[in-house]
Amino acid sequence: MSNTASSILVLTEAKENVELRLAHLLGGHDATSPFVLNCENYISSGDPASFLRSVIDHPPAWNQLFSLDHIVNNDLTSLGPGDGTVGVFTLIVSLLDQVMDPLTAGELSRALATSVESYIFPPKSAFPVPITIPSDSILTETKMTMLCALYNLRSAPKEKCWILGRILGLAGSCEDERVLFGLLPGRRSTLGNLLECDNLIGLLERDFAKGPLPGEEEKTSEDTADGVGYNALDGSDRRVLYRIAAHVVGVVADRCRSKGGNMDKEAELADSVRQTYLLKLLDTYSSLSDVDTEAIEAAKAAATGAIRDPVTLFREQGGMMTLPPIQALEDNSSTKPLHFLLKIFQEGKLEDYQSFLSTHTESALTDLSLDPSACTYNIRLLSLCSLATEHEEIPYDAIASTLQVTNDEVESWVIAAVSSGLLSAKMDQLQRVVMVERCVLRKFGMEEWKSLQQRLHVWKENVATIVEGLKQGQIIAQQ
């Protein structure tokens, strides 16, 4: 026998030996149990998919797996270094690479993740040896580590996207504030960094959007259940992850607010991140026919968030009226007032807002958990922004009239608008005018295109006049 053949035989025997020991460990070291005997048959016949299904469908195997870190005087594990719960689970996950059909491997991967996520420790009496039952927070952290191992060992973007959603959801359900607050952007935790908008969006739209990894081409299927390649993400994949991310960050924001003012800044930051994910979620719907109940609920949340804080994410929220789920709000009598109010905060002025209140009263705001005084403040800022897009120089009187404030309050409103980044302007206190240098546009429709065309035409004429003047100057100088 050649050295190469001998080496292959040794490696094969070593692999089978580890798998057999794994089966005996998960079977409670009962060599005669049907579970262990079936696993031995699957190992000898080279059927890793059936082996994994046996593990997934055998609850006592999961009891054995999760108890490994909590056995009193643990001397039962025998797989070598790293043979705790996570280490053994990593060995189980590694068997997925031996499953030739990528769709089957993907289904088994999801089943493993679901089994981990849903596991609940039974009473101590269910275990053959003494164990200590871990706290909920310790169990959650163990589950998260196991799912992270699964995420790192898988390569298909659809799979990784789904697993990542389970990890985030599990973290968001944890009552341990150390874990929960670790999800806050800027906390320098792994999940906190991931939940920063640029990072998660970049992962979905850049890294996960890539084709098959080197060596994975043969695993690409052209006939998957959803009609796309095995490795390709579609709108529903992104939608699910954005929905989970928005929910989790919302949970964190609510927990921050429950601290009675000590974490208001963190709550505001989490709210803006949640709003960003809601907008990305709504953007996955391409037409009104795609809009479902979950889309309507997300649209209601995003609309309320845009009304509550129209400034922080001004640019991101600028085109939200064109999103199909937002448009769908107008077609339902229960959500039509919300759509109308959102349109006012997107395009209208103070007088439009007051007209809305005269019809619906402030209860329409409180029902949406909106602060009437904060809404009035924000619509005044936005009204000033609209006024600045219409005039390069604005008299104090015009601002006072538009915002319905006294002349003495005009300067404070201009300062507030400048501080918010909505406009850049200078105030001439002698002439009592505001000179606008730059201002964001609240909407850009046909009228705005016409205005831009007119300004460009004037600019073109001015440049032509200057050029002609320079030419005439050169002619005179040469004479």
Side-chain angles (χ1 to χ4, degrees):
M1 183 181 295
S2 68
N3 290 335
T4 301
S6 298
S7 298
I8 293 174
L9 179 61
V10 170
L11 289 173
T12 302
E13 291 177 347
K15 179 176 72 68
E16 290 184 354
N17 188 36
V18 170
E19 291 172 0
L20 287 171
R21 290 158 63 190
L22 177 62
H24 281 261
L25 176 63
L26 296 177
H29 298 279
D30 182 358
T32 62
S33 71
F35 170 78
V36 172
L37 293 175
N38 286 334
C39 287
E40 288 178 345
N41 288 332
Y42 297 139
I43 293 169
S44 61
S45 61
D47 188 356
S50 296
F51 178 91
L52 288 169
R53 287 194 185 95
S54 293
V55 173
I56 292 167
D57 296 335
H58 191 59
W62 290 96
N63 289 340
Q64 286 293 122
L65 176 61
F66 274 91
S67 70
L68 292 177
D69 293 337
H70 307 287
I71 297 175
V72 179
N73 298 324
N74 185 1
D75 59 357
L76 296 179
T77 60
S78 56
L79 293 175
D83 58 359
T85 298
V86 176
V88 173
F89 181 72
T90 301
L91 288 175
I92 295 172
V93 171
S94 67
L95 296 176
L96 290 170
D97 290 336
Q98 300 177 31
V99 179
M100 299 306 296
D101 179 26
L103 297 181
T104 300
E107 292 169 359
L108 291 170
S109 173
R110 291 194 178 208
L112 285 171
T114 301
S115 297
V116 169
E117 190 178 9
S118 62
Y119 181 78
I120 299 175
F121 258 93
K124 291 183 179 181
S125 58
F127 297 90
V129 295
I131 70 163
T132 57
I133 302 295
S135 65
D136 289 342
S137 61
I138 291 177
L139 178 59
T140 298
E141 288 194 57
T142 300
K143 290 180 177 182
M144 287 173 59
T145 305
M146 295 168 73
L147 293 183
C148 285
L150 177 60
Y151 175 87
N152 290 328
L153 289 172
R154 304 305 294 158
S155 60
K158 288 179 75 72
E159 230 181 291
K160 292 177 77 73
C161 181
W162 186 86
I163 297 168
L164 182 56
R166 309 325 303 163
I167 296 171
L168 293 176
L170 195 57
S173 67
C174 184
E175 291 298 322
D176 187 341
E177 290 187 348
R178 180 175 55 84
V179 174
L180 202 58
F181 290 149
L183 298 173
L184 280 168
R187 285 298 179 97
R188 295 183 179 179
S189 66
T190 301
L191 290 180
N193 290 336
L194 177 63
L195 278 173
E196 291 183 9
C197 296
D198 289 344
N199 293 337
L200 184 58
I201 293 171
L203 184 67
L204 278 175
E205 299 183 358
R206 183 184 63 251
D207 298 346
F208 283 178
K210 295 177 181 177
L213 297 174
E216 290 287 319
E217 291 83 355
E218 71 278 3
K219 289 188 175 183
T220 301
S221 173
E222 297 179 355
D223 300 313
T224 58
D226 53 8
V228 298
Y230 176 68
N231 277 299
L233 291 186
D234 59 18
S236 63
D237 296 316
R238 295 181 177 87
R239 187 179 304 156
V240 169
L241 189 55
Y242 283 138
R243 181 177 291 116
I244 293 172
H247 170 73
V248 169
V249 178
V251 170
V252 176
D254 290 340
R255 182 63 66 89
C256 290
R257 271 188 288 272
S258 71
K259 293 302 177 180
N262 294 329
M263 299 185 71
D264 284 348
K265 289 184 178 180
E266 288 84 351
E268 291 175 2
L269 174 60
D271 281 335
S272 67
V273 173
R274 175 177 183 261
Q275 182 71 1
T276 299
Y277 287 137
L278 285 173
L279 293 173
K280 297 297 292 186
L281 162 62
L282 298 181
D283 195 39
T284 63
Y285 293 88
S286 58
S287 66
L288 283 170
S289 61
D290 295 333
V291 175
D292 53 17
T293 303
E294 290 184 334
I296 293 296
E297 291 303 314
K300 289 162 61 177
T304 305
I307 295 168
R308 181 179 293 114
D309 183 4
V311 176
T312 302
L313 296 176
F314 182 88
R315 296 186 185 280
E316 291 83 349
Q317 294 171 162
M320 66 185 300
M321 297 301 297
T322 63
L323 296 173
I326 294 294
Q327 293 175 337
L329 296 178
E330 188 178 15
D331 300 330
N332 190 304
S333 59
S334 63
T335 56
K336 191 169 185 176
L338 174 60
H339 182 274
F340 185 38
L341 184 60
L342 174 63
K343 188 173 182 179
I344 291 172
F345 275 78
Q346 288 286 303
E347 304 173 0
K349 294 183 180 179
L350 178 60
E351 58 187 27
D352 302 309
Y353 173 67
Q354 291 175 331
S355 176
F356 173 86
L357 290 183
S358 67
T359 305
H360 298 85
T361 72
E362 288 190 351
S363 64
L365 302 180
T366 55
D367 289 345
L368 295 169
S369 300
L370 295 171
D371 180 359
S373 61
C375 288
T376 302
Y377 175 86
N378 285 325
I379 197 62
R380 280 197 168 111
L381 278 182
L382 296 172
S383 298
L384 177 55
C385 179
S386 292
L387 191 63
T389 62
E390 299 165 1
H391 308 280
E392 294 183 359
E393 291 188 1
I394 317 172
Y396 278 27
D397 290 341
I399 295 176
S401 175
T402 300
L403 304 191
Q404 299 180 19
V405 297
T406 65
N407 283 350
D408 292 339
E409 297 175 279
V410 167
E411 292 184 0
S412 64
W413 280 103
V414 173
I415 292 172
V418 171
S419 299
S420 68
L422 294 177
L423 62 87
S424 176
K426 294 180 180 178
M427 292 181 284
D428 187 335
Q429 294 176 319
L430 293 178
Q431 299 297 323
R432 298 186 66 76
V433 296
V434 174
M435 295 170 289
V436 179
E437 298 176 343
R438 177 193 59 81
C439 183
V440 296
L441 289 172
R442 296 181 64 199
K443 64 175 181 177
F444 203 89
M446 184 57 66
E447 291 300 319
E448 287 70 32
W449 278 113
K450 290 179 179 178
S451 175
L452 178 60
Q453 183 185 41
Q454 184 179 4
R455 290 191 180 194
L456 288 173
H457 183 69
V458 171
W459 174 80
K460 181 180 179 180
E461 289 182 342
N462 290 339
V463 171
T465 300
I466 293 172
V467 171
E468 184 61 29
L470 290 173
K471 288 181 179 179
Q472 292 297 327
Q474 288 176 345
I475 292 173
I476 292 173
Q478 292 173 359
Q479 292 177 351

